[in-house]
Amino acid sequence: MAKNPQFTCTACGAHFSKWSGRCDSCGQWNSIVEERPLSSGPTSKSLGARRGAPVKLSDLGTQEDPPPRAQSGLAELDRVLGGGLVPASAILVGGDPGIGKSTLLLQAIAAFARKGMKTIYVSGEEASAQVRMRATRLDLLDAPVQLAAETNLRDILTTLEAERPGLVVIDSIQTMWADNVESAPGSVSQVRAAAHELTSFAKRMGMSVILVGHVTKDGQIAGPRVVEHMVDTVLYFEGERGHQFRILRAVKNRFGPADEIGVFEMTGSGLAEVANPSALFLSERGAPSPGSAVFAGIEGTRPLLVEFQALVAPSSLSQPRRTVVGWDGGRLSMILAVLEARCGIPFAGLDVYLNVAGGMKISEPAADLAVAAALLSAREDTSLPPDTVIFGEISLSGALRAVSQGENRLKEAQKLGFTAAIVPSGGKPVNIAGLTLNRFGDLTGFVGDMFGAG
Ligand code: TYD
Ligand code: MG
């Protein structure tokens, strides 16, 4: 008897009982496809009369050693993994095509191989010769990495079973093909089946597996979203194509903090680690100019200074432009509304552009005050005081809220030669030598002090 068909959104992985043109869960158009489930589960609701074996229970206080970790020696990568690679863990590395995933993973696997780990790199996208060409460019030819160009999952698993490597990289999961699943490579069923087989096989064998997944916007190829729940760690490799900076961000990690980032720079000979990202993100900052504000942020466990740049210009459009790169558009509208309602500074009839320098993406609400300062400075055409960092969350009432890790933010600013900081007045008072603190309780006070209005 034919089972009821099941439909899945390729963008967000939500399930539906019938097809529709638009996914109710994520709003994506044309992303819903029919799929055949992998296993159908028990046929009847009851498990029958057979008894199972008792499961061993342990209490919460049971001592367990932390998992041993293997370090690659690439400090930025090791930190994002939570301190190194945990044996038998499954990791997904997602990112736009061409962002540098294959480059990063070839460098990473070579680093692990040089430390004595047995490694296999399976490429489903490139021939071994192409991978070797890249390895030449990256100066990795001496690393004892085994290569295979293969897409047949059954053959790959047989090889892995015989070779028993400590780490295997699958580049990419969308090219893998399980012959027991009747749909095209790259479809949701194939991606899910291949990821499921690979991760459970890796756990059984005690090897770590890194899956590469392309993120596609049009939903033609199943996004890595559908495998996120199967793996222990999800890393996204991001960056603007035109910029040389690349950020490896942990969005899920069972073995370490999420939100941790590693910063790399794409060079002619591969990805170089950036040990001091704040200095790099601020390196192109010239003399103080209107519209520029330096935000003291925290990414994961590390403070990071970035520059917000704003431009405000008279608009010829009935609906003025609001363009944001690297920050949330909804949050920008909120700050504009608070500036208008609480401080009486209108932005109607003005185009607003906001950009985070260097291609960084910021999602902390702690950047609110820096954004407001950049916008006001652009609108009033006056620079903010030089060598000053800013942070603080703005509430709808116009009050400034204290943010976490204020001291770490200020220490980083001081280390980079900043001499003043604009911060919310709430929170723990901290004293950092050489850093003058300007504290404000609300946005009106800040605007009045800085721009003589409000
Ligand atoms: P790649 O790793 O192939 O991207 P992905 O696997 O995510 O699709 O990287 C592609 C880009 O990186 C390509 O445009 C060229 C650039 N690149 C460098 O700039 N320097 C290098 O040393 C290498 C290997 C690549
Ligand atoms: Mg690639």
Side-chain angles (χ1 to χ4, degrees):
M1 199 183 80
K3 288 192 64 187
N4 286 339
Q6 241 224 330
F7 297 88
T8 303
C9 171
T10 53
C12 69
H15 298 293
F16 302 96
S17 59
K18 60 184 195 334
W19 189 87
S20 63
R22 183 166 184 267
C23 173
D24 282 341
S25 148
C26 69
Q28 186 89 23
W29 284 95
N30 260 336
S31 61
I32 296 184
V33 294
E34 181 177 353
E35 74 161 316
R36 242 166 253 219
L38 252 190
S39 98
S40 44
T43 42
S44 74
K45 285 227 171 64
S46 150
L47 286 173
R50 198 165 61 81
R51 285 173 72 95
V55 175
K56 188 163 165 281
L57 303 173
S58 60
D59 54 33
L60 287 173
T62 306
Q63 292 289 324
E64 242 178 313
D65 293 332
R69 295 172 185 269
Q71 265 92 26
S72 67
L74 299 170
E76 295 294 300
L77 175 70
D78 290 340
R79 199 193 29 256
V80 175
L81 289 173
L85 182 70
V86 175
S89 60
I91 297 158
L92 172 72
V93 177
D96 292 334
I99 203 74
K101 298 182 295 300
S102 304
T103 309
L104 174 73
L105 290 176
L106 194 59
Q107 286 181 254
I109 200 170
F112 281 114
R114 280 180 178 154
K115 293 250 164 157
M117 193 183 275
K118 183 164 183 184
T119 54
I120 296 186
Y121 186 100
V122 181
S123 178
E125 304 195 329
E126 293 162 287
S128 296
Q130 274 171 297
V131 178
R132 236 173 261 125
M133 248 163 65
R134 176 177 290 139
T136 316
R137 188 168 167 190
L138 302 175
D139 198 18
L140 298 174
L141 290 181
D142 63 310
V145 178
Q146 300 287 309
L147 292 183
E150 185 53 67
T151 57
N152 186 318
L153 194 61
R154 200 178 290 276
D155 295 348
I156 292 170
L157 294 181
T158 308
T159 314
L160 294 181
E161 187 159 22
E163 297 286 334
R164 306 226 167 202
L167 170 67
V168 55
V169 169
I170 304 288
D171 188 3
S172 65
I173 189 67
Q174 275 108 352
T175 55
M176 291 300 129
W177 175 69
D179 53 20
N180 59 333
V181 178
E182 291 170 44
S183 54
S187 63
V188 184
S189 322
Q190 279 289 0
V191 168
R192 185 175 298 157
H196 177 75
E197 284 297 331
L198 281 163
T199 50
S200 51
F201 181 82
K203 298 253 147 174
R204 249 185 353 257
M205 294 284 151
M207 70 174 92
S208 303
V209 57
I210 302 182
L211 308 173
V212 175
H214 293 295
V215 183
T216 50
K217 297 204 172 67
D218 55 80
Q220 278 301 319
I221 302 176
R225 283 285 159 81
V226 296
V227 299
E228 274 184 359
H229 67 276
M230 287 184 217
V231 295
D232 302 308
T233 302
V234 178
L235 310 179
Y236 274 93
F237 204 36
E238 4 172 285
E240 299 289 322
R241 207 67 78 75
H243 286 288
Q244 73 269 42
F245 309 128
R246 299 283 183 274
I247 315 282
L248 185 66
R249 190 186 292 273
V251 296
K252 159 183 169 179
N253 196 350
R254 287 191 186 140
F255 307 115
D259 273 338
E260 195 69 78
I261 64 164
V263 184
F264 296 89
E265 190 177 355
M266 184 60 99
T267 68
S269 54
L271 290 156
E273 292 182 79
V274 176
N276 189 350
S278 298
L280 191 76
F281 281 118
L282 297 179
S283 64
E284 277 154 35
R285 206 167 50 104
S289 62
S292 154
V294 178
F295 166 55
I298 297 277
E299 293 289 332
T301 54
R302 189 164 56 166
L304 181 71
L305 266 49
V306 289
E307 183 192 0
F308 274 92
Q309 302 167 335
L311 179 67
V312 174
S315 178
S316 55
L317 304 167
S318 60
Q319 188 132 41
R321 232 182 257 281
R322 303 283 183 253
T323 305
V324 202
V325 180
W327 167 256
D328 180 47
R331 198 96 196 158
L332 172 68
S333 306
M334 189 199 98
I335 291 169
L336 292 173
V338 174
L339 282 171
E340 177 148 8
R342 307 292 174 202
C343 311
I345 301 174
F347 281 83
L350 296 169
D351 285 337
V352 175
Y353 302 88
L354 184 74
N355 178 36
V356 181
M360 183 69 198
K361 285 197 184 80
I362 301 289
S363 53
E364 267 192 293
D368 289 354
L369 189 55
V371 170
L375 293 171
L376 288 167
S377 150
R379 189 181 185 280
E380 304 297 316
D381 203 25
T382 35
S383 316
L384 290 160
D387 296 329
T388 302
V389 295
I390 308 179
F391 62 83
E393 184 179 342
I394 298 175
S395 68
L396 287 179
S397 65
L400 295 184
R401 284 205 209 123
V403 300
S404 64
Q405 303 201 46
E407 190 169 349
N408 286 343
R409 299 173 197 264
L410 294 172
K411 274 190 189 145
E412 175 83 355
Q414 188 242 18
K415 219 165 68 190
L416 283 149
F418 286 82
T419 53
I422 297 171
V423 300
S425 55
K428 233 181 20 204
V430 278
N431 259 326
I432 307 254
L435 207 63
T436 317
L437 294 191
N438 287 315
R439 296 161 160 274
F440 296 97
D442 56 30
L443 198 54
T444 326
F446 166 73
V447 172
D449 195 74
M450 288 289 144
F451 302 97

